[in-house]
Amino acid sequence: PMDPRWKVIKEDGTEVPGTDHPSMTALRTGKTVGPVIRGVYHPDKNTYFWLSITAIPLFQPGETKPFQVYATFEDITDRKQAEEELMQKEHRFRTIFEHSPISIWEEDFSDVHAEMERLRGEGVEDFDHYFEENPQDVKRFATLIHIIDINETSFHFFGGKSKDDILSNLPTYFGGDALPVFREELVSLSRGEISFEAELSMLHPDRGKLMLQL
């Protein structure tokens, strides 16, 4: 472990001296170390391989100081690369999301879909007819939507003090045509359509009534 050619690093890129390798730490402390993630340089391929390492100290009968260490190594390079690629994609998504010149909302409709499936199980097939017969359910379905985030353009457009302030007061921004439009969206979702366009009014705190294109 003291050989400098190991070039062991932590996940943040800092070097790990030989005295702090998992096996050396387990031998010194008498305690199991890991699993810990370490990068080990591969000179032939000129790159780092990522390992999940566990070091277990072994003791002679009656002794409290370990005489050797049993170490296991799991190659997690592929998993590590996949995680890094996912982080890069997430970063690109967040950059596009936040800096888009148009208002973008991230919404979770999973509870809406679950409720639709429950109603289908009870025999509802035509949701257009169902909402015509049960208009109160449109408002109930609206409460099932979870707005996860809005981008910076939305934040400035609504003029709130914070994103949380806007998200908690969204119902106050929309006019009387919001529920009919939402009903159309629900019917569209029930048919398996993956896009929806509509116009509705919004009551801006400073600019009065505005028309929005969704």
Side-chain angles (χ1 to χ4, degrees):
M2 304 306 293
D3 191 328
R5 289 177 296 178
W6 276 87
K7 295 183 180 179
V8 177
I9 60 173
K10 297 180 181 179
E11 291 184 274
D12 61 6
T14 57
E15 294 185 8
V16 180
T19 54
D20 291 341
H21 288 191
S23 58
M24 298 298 287
T25 301
L27 192 62
R28 183 173 62 253
T29 64
K31 297 179 180 180
T32 297
V33 177
V36 296
I37 308 300
R38 295 290 183 263
V40 179
Y41 183 70
H42 193 302
D44 293 339
K45 296 187 177 182
N46 192 31
T47 188
Y48 277 89
F49 277 60
W50 291 94
L51 305 175
S52 175
I53 306 172
T54 300
I56 304 171
L58 302 179
F59 302 87
Q60 295 284 13
E63 297 289 335
T64 58
K65 183 178 178 60
F67 75 101
Q68 65 182 22
V69 174
Y70 184 84
T72 63
F73 302 84
E74 179 187 1
D75 187 347
I76 61 167
T77 304
D78 291 343
R79 189 180 78 192
K80 184 72 173 175
Q81 291 175 344
E83 290 174 352
E84 291 177 353
E85 291 174 0
L86 184 62
M87 290 177 62
Q88 292 174 359
K89 290 179 180 178
E90 172 66 15
H91 176 70
R92 288 197 295 270
F93 165 76
R94 295 306 305 179
T95 300
I96 295 172
F97 178 80
E98 289 295 351
H99 299 289
S100 171
I102 63 173
S103 175
I104 301 177
W105 299 15
E106 185 180 1
E107 301 175 342
D108 180 359
F109 273 69
S110 56
D111 286 348
V112 171
H113 284 288
E115 181 62 10
M116 281 186 172
E117 289 306 308
R118 186 188 70 80
L119 291 172
R120 281 196 176 97
E122 295 179 357
V124 176
E125 297 180 359
D126 186 345
F127 278 89
D128 193 4
H129 177 72
Y130 174 82
F131 289 124
E132 182 178 346
E133 296 293 320
N134 303 274
Q136 73 283 354
D137 259 17
V138 176
K139 184 175 292 186
R140 182 174 67 86
F141 267 79
T143 65
L144 298 177
I145 299 175
H146 303 289
I147 302 176
I148 300 172
D149 200 2
I150 59 176
N151 67 349
E152 286 294 323
T153 298
S154 302
F155 171 69
H156 294 300
F157 178 77
F158 285 104
K161 297 178 181 178
S162 67
K163 285 187 177 182
D164 288 340
D165 176 58
I166 294 172
L167 294 176
S168 61
N169 291 285
L170 275 176
T172 65
Y173 288 101
F174 294 100
D177 59 346
L179 283 179
V181 169
F182 180 57
R183 171 188 163 172
E184 294 177 19
E185 184 176 11
L186 288 174
V187 173
S188 176
L189 283 171
S190 72
R191 294 170 178 166
E193 298 174 7
I194 60 174
S195 63
F196 177 77
E197 294 184 9
E199 292 184 357
L200 79 162
S201 61
M202 171 193 151
L203 302 175
H204 194 279
D206 299 320
R207 300 163 60 189
K209 185 176 180 180
L210 302 175
M211 293 302 297
L212 303 180
Q213 176 73 44
L214 301 181

